[in-house]
Amino acid sequence: MAKIYALTGSIGMGKSAVTGMIRKLGVPLFDADAEVHRLQAPGGKALAHIEARFPGTTGPQGLDRAKLAAIILAHPHERKALEAIMHPLVFAARQKFLQRHIAHPLVILDIPLLFETHGEKRVDGVIVVTAPAWKQRKRVLARPGMTEAKFRRILALQMPDAQKRLRADHIVHTGTTYHRTRAQVRALIACLLGKAGR
């Protein structure tokens, strides 16, 4: 039976780079954000449900993220309705992924809002990706279409980084060089595989 670890971290902490490093080490990794994008892409399973709840937000190109974001920004309580559509679909995809990799000693689930959704109770351990606040801010504000106000709104929805670090079983620091981060990831995966009895 695979040991299941969750990987999480706030926006701009370098989680995408860390997931790439983990995949290169041959560890099966489920990316919740990528699954959401698949479900909302043309032909995705979520589209009909989203269209029924938020008319006019989908089309031949899949979900119109800007339209849906505008609705949720104007009516924040509607986020719950969207989550009620998406969470069961992502959960089902994750269960299929776990079944496929059940024989592997270690599996990692990339779940951005892990603590916010109390997902840490369903895994064997938690890895938190972190970086200094100034570096996080610099990375996020460099993204296309990002503004200071939007960054602040996103941060308000996420548990503070300091709290995540306190609740972590393992921490990966990305505020350093790529090579040092990669060395941390390699050492961590070797440690987790050792614990899993590989």
Side-chain angles (χ1 to χ4, degrees):
M1 186 73 178
K3 282 280 181 193
I4 303 166
Y5 276 75
L7 180 80
T8 195
S10 300
I11 186 171
M13 290 301 191
K15 196 161 56 61
S16 297
V18 171
T19 58
M21 294 169 189
I22 290 169
R23 281 203 172 104
K24 281 181 183 166
L25 293 170
V27 177
L29 185 141
F30 178 82
D31 183 334
D33 271 355
E35 185 59 35
V36 165
H37 278 79
R38 269 194 294 276
L39 289 163
Q40 296 174 349
K45 283 184 185 176
L47 289 183
H49 302 288
I50 293 172
E51 183 61 32
R53 185 67 183 76
F54 303 99
T57 58
T58 72
Q61 305 303 311
L63 177 67
D64 186 326
R65 292 176 189 284
K67 275 187 186 173
L68 185 59
I71 291 169
I72 288 172
L73 202 60
H75 311 281
H77 63 278
E78 292 287 15
R79 179 178 294 279
K80 293 282 183 209
L82 178 62
E83 287 172 354
I85 293 167
M86 297 307 303
H87 286 179
L89 293 171
V90 173
F91 180 77
R94 189 164 72 218
Q95 293 308 104
K96 280 185 185 171
F97 170 87
L98 290 172
Q99 281 300 118
R100 278 201 312 275
H101 298 287
I102 200 161
H104 202 281
L106 175 66
V107 171
I108 293 179
L109 307 176
D110 175 355
I111 308 174
L113 296 174
L114 177 78
F115 294 121
E116 292 84 348
T117 56
H118 309 292
E120 75 276 14
K121 294 168 185 168
R122 296 187 290 273
V123 294
D124 296 307
V126 175
I127 304 160
V128 168
V129 180
T130 187
W134 67 266
K135 190 139 198 166
Q136 175 194 28
R137 187 173 179 279
K138 187 178 173 186
R139 285 170 178 166
V140 176
L141 291 178
R143 295 181 182 186
M146 184 56 70
T147 63
E148 188 74 53
K150 199 184 283 187
F151 177 41
R152 280 199 300 271
R153 281 198 302 273
I154 292 166
L155 282 184
L157 294 171
Q158 299 183 344
M159 180 183 285
D161 177 57
Q163 282 185 41
K164 287 180 181 172
R165 282 185 276 120
L166 284 174
R167 297 170 72 170
D169 296 293
H170 304 277
I171 295 174
V172 175
H173 296 274
T174 68
T176 179
T177 65
Y178 178 87
H179 296 291
R180 282 181 179 159
T181 300
R182 190 173 60 183
Q184 287 177 69
V185 171
R186 282 179 172 163
L188 174 59
I189 295 304
C191 169
L192 296 182
L193 285 170
K195 282 184 184 174
R198 183 166 177 176

